[in-house]
Amino acid sequence: MADKSKLSPPLPANSQSALPVFSPANGRTNGQLDIKTLETWLWDAACSIRGALDAPKYKDYILPLIFVKRLSDVFDDEIARLTEEFGDEKTARTLIKKDHSLVRFYIPPKGTWAEIRQSAANVGERVTDAARAIARENPSLQGVIDIVDFNATVSGQRILDDGKLWALIEIISRQRLGLADAEPDILGRAYEYLLRKFAEGQGQSAGEFYTPKEVGWLMAYLLNPQPGQNVYDPTCGSAGLLIKCQLAARESVGADPRVGSMAGGDMAPPLQLYGQEFNHVTYAIAKMNMIIHDMEGEIVIGDTLRNPKLLEESGLKRFDLVTANPMWNQDGYTAGFYENDPFERFTHYPPASSADWGWVQHMAASLNDPSASSGQGAGRAAIVLDTGAVSRGSGNAGTNKEKDARRALTQRDWIEGVVLLPENLFYNTTAPGIILLLNKAKPAHRRGQIMLLNASQEFEKGRPKNFIPDAGIRKIAEAFHEWKDVEKFARIITLADAERNDYNLSPSRYVDTGEAEQHRDVQSIIDDLASLEADAAALDAELKGILKLLGYTV
């Protein structure tokens, strides 16, 4: 458990400016697997199957095994807890076998890690059978844990032979993944690392699925989710943004964010988490990640813009909060698509070259109206977009489709803020990106206003990418919640200001982070130039002398 005395107390939960306890889990040890050890472990695991698979496929084999290992180790922890409660292990195991509800997931003998590791023979068959046995006993894991056939062949030859699979299992066995051994986000961390390390290296865009963890934490703290609310991510990837919202909600009431019911103990009422994901493998990882965090909600699969799956009656399901990082400047959606949308989400049709404002309009349509609020701060969104999404078309003569969409949301007073992020955070681009903040129910003192935060300098150099340190995340979130101008950092503008600037909402237009210009008198500049010229003359004379000594004619 976290030492609460070291965490600043949250503001009142019913305050619009409330900021949760700030404690993003970025490398805590506390006896748990730290980031450096995790990455070394995953690197060794990937190296063990190098050559057998294309690098982007490593995660498809490594992650399900880590998931099985986590479930098995947690089950062992629960047996130990129940053994202490009932007096002996045999009694505990007998009761668990009769009543699976005593544990979060029942792991049959065939599915335990000890059984998987028993022999180097018939490994692929044994691992596949173990995963399927676990899925049979736990319906919620069907189609999640059993998606990989470790015994599969192509043209009569095993894709991953028993030798390499056994080596991988032995490396995964190095780390225990029980309740006290690893943070709840162990699977998400592993997924992020493998995407970062191998997917992009093969020319695939990790950024299509992966939002840097500090950006995810920042979005969660900007939204300030409260227990009991529902949260939606229409491009959920591995569900990392949803999970960070749940962890932030737990912190907001002083609960340890690492604790879920898999770990036992009390916790805050959970958020209801909902997501849709297009890629079937990433969808399965999202389901695993939700399960391993013991979080409530639903993940569905499909193209959200073309076929939203989370519906109520004949319309879109509505949510208190939306958090998302859709693919930037996605093409392939024409005016005809937007015009014929059966859900009437799009009042303004984005250009075919960029669906950014199509995504924004979908998310706005998915937000609760104020009267439908199920909790504090309903009808709000934090959306990561390309920087140009808030400025393209402004200042140009004539009309522009993106500017028209931007104008419409501004005039409705739904845009609450824009945060300009630092450069070189994301894994598929060096572009900075922005976080667009929507609010369908602005409090009275914010109506007719937009906060623009220029956080472009809030970073530290990293390898291979920059990152926002904890202090930077806190500074950005607090500035937004306090809703005050901050010199060279944050400025509140009116809707009239936005109109005068042709609806350019780029924070860099309004907030200059540079140092004040230094003005010098002319005479001091002349004196400095004279001194520099004298130094140059002396160096020329010295050089000529050296060249003459060497016999050269100057």
Side-chain angles (χ1 to χ4, degrees), residues 3 38 42 75 93 149 301 329 377 392 438 471 499 541:
D3 182 357
L38 170 70
L42 292 170
F75 183 67
R93 288 187 179 274
D149 181 355
I301 189 166
N329 299 315
R392 281 191 292 262
L438 304 182
E499 183 179 6

Side-chain angles (χ1 to χ4, degrees), residues 22-28 35 183 189 213 217 468-470 473:
F22 183 79
S23 179
N26 55 353
R28 283 187 292 229
I35 292 300
E183 61 175 291
R189 289 293 185 91
K213 67 179 185 296
W217 277 109
I468 306 174
D470 291 357
I473 298 174

Side-chain angles (χ1 to χ4, degrees), residues 189-206:
R189 289 293 185 91
Y191 181 65
E192 291 169 359
Y193 174 79
L194 292 170
L195 271 179
R196 202 165 75 225
K197 200 74 178 175
F198 299 107
E200 189 176 359
Q202 294 292 311
Q204 298 190 10
S205 175

